[in-house]
Amino acid sequence: DAGVIQSPRHEVTEMGQEVTLRCKPISGHDYLFWYRQTMMRGLELLIYFNNNVPIDDSGMPEDRFSAKMPNASFSTLKIQPSEPRDSAVYFCASSPTTRRADYEQYFGPGTRLTVT
Amino acid sequence: QKEVEQNSGPLSVPEGAIASLNCTYSDRGSQSFFWYRQYSGKSPELIMFIYSNGDKEDGRFTAQLNKASQYVSLLIRDSQPSDSATYLCAVKATGRRALTFGSGTRLQVQP
């Protein structure tokens, strides 16, 4: 199993540009999560999907951020327009459907975004 | 008040000692508790979970949960330099799928 795949691994862009981050979850996982990690705020949940449907987007900072999951194997997080304060590491994670309390979220390698 | 609080550290211990990492949470409806380890520049990886009061042991790691006091801790016995990392406490509320993470405690194990 290849694990959660994210691309690009690094992104440097100028303020005002559109940024698209991509994620491929582990095959068979029904849940997909987008997180953002910064030194100041730690690891924050942005949005998560279940069976391609957004369930909770309360963590999305503002309208500049949008996320889609057109199918079970692909999700995007888009920032338009980007701002320097969006600089962070963005993680995608997936988990299987289980009624157990000990389910694990598997994290991708992250995308380090720098907005200048 | 943050939902999940951790001392940012660094917590420095000598090799072979016991490292004790603590976490408190505010939501009494929290159901499950997780410890993730994150090496610098890497993604978080799960090392332990616990959902019943008491202790749970897995190798050199012991997770402790006290729901009445709303704290969860992680003990690492016989600490090794390879244990040097940031340890993230995460909490799952009942009926909610997502995790809420603390800001992490940086552990340094001195050889």
Side-chain angles (χ1 to χ4, degrees):
Chain A
D1 196 331
V4 177
I5 298 172
Q6 291 187 247
S7 65
R9 295 292 308 276
H10 301 273
E11 177 79 34
V12 180
T13 190
E14 293 184 348
M15 182 174 62
Q17 297 298 306
E18 177 179 295
V19 175
T20 299
L21 311 181
R22 297 172 177 80
C23 174
K24 176 179 169 56
I26 293 173
S27 177
H29 284 191
D30 297 324
Y31 285 86
L32 183 139
F33 306 82
W34 281 102
Y35 291 91
R36 176 172 68 176
Q37 187 173 40
T38 62
M39 289 292 292
M40 291 295 295
R41 301 177 65 89
L43 192 61
E44 303 175 283
L45 176 72
L46 299 177
I47 185 171
Y48 78 93
F49 296 83
N50 178 218
N51 291 324
N52 314 336
V53 176
I55 302 300
D56 183 352
D57 65 354
S58 59
M60 296 286 264
E62 49 198 271
D63 292 344
R64 296 184 298 107
F65 285 69
S66 63
K68 294 181 180 180
M69 192 164 186
N71 57 62
S73 59
F74 183 65
S75 177
T76 60
L77 179 67
K78 186 176 294 186
I79 308 172
Q80 166 63 19
S82 58
E83 297 183 2
R85 60 193 168 122
D86 301 330
S87 297
V89 180
Y90 291 81
F91 288 105
C92 176
S94 70
S95 74
T97 297
T98 174
R99 296 176 65 85
R100 294 173 56 180
D102 59 335
Y103 78 97
E104 178 172 356
Q105 289 188 15
Y106 296 82
F107 282 78
T111 295
R112 181 174 295 277
L113 173 65
T114 303
V115 183
T116 60
Chain B
Q1 180 189 9
K2 291 184 178 179
E3 293 183 52
V4 181
E5 298 219 39
Q6 297 180 255
N7 188 318
S8 61
L11 172 66
S12 184
V13 300
E15 184 175 356
I18 296 175
S20 177
L21 305 163
N22 300 312
C23 169
T24 59
Y25 60 94
S26 59
D27 183 0
R28 286 195 173 274
S30 299
Q31 177 186 33
S32 310
F33 307 85
F34 302 80
W35 284 99
Y36 280 78
R37 177 177 61 200
Q38 186 176 25
Y39 292 112
S40 180
K42 302 296 185 181
S43 55
E45 56 178 334
L46 181 69
I47 52 173
M48 287 223 46
F49 71 91
I50 186 169
Y51 51 84
S52 298
N53 275 326
D55 296 358
K56 179 182 179 183
E57 186 174 319
D58 184 0
R60 295 188 296 112
F61 299 96
T62 299
Q64 300 174 317
L65 174 60
N66 185 322
K67 289 187 177 181
S69 300
Q70 295 177 245
Y71 84 78
V72 57
S73 62
L74 179 70
L75 301 178
I76 306 175
R77 290 182 300 281
D78 188 23
S79 296
Q80 301 297 309
S82 58
D83 295 325
S84 298
T86 296
Y87 289 79
L88 302 169
C89 173
V91 173
K92 186 182 96 66
T94 302
R96 193 164 184 261
R97 188 71 185 184
L99 299 179
T100 301
F101 284 83
S103 56
T105 298
R106 188 157 63 94
L107 172 65
Q108 295 177 339
V109 180
Q110 307 296 333

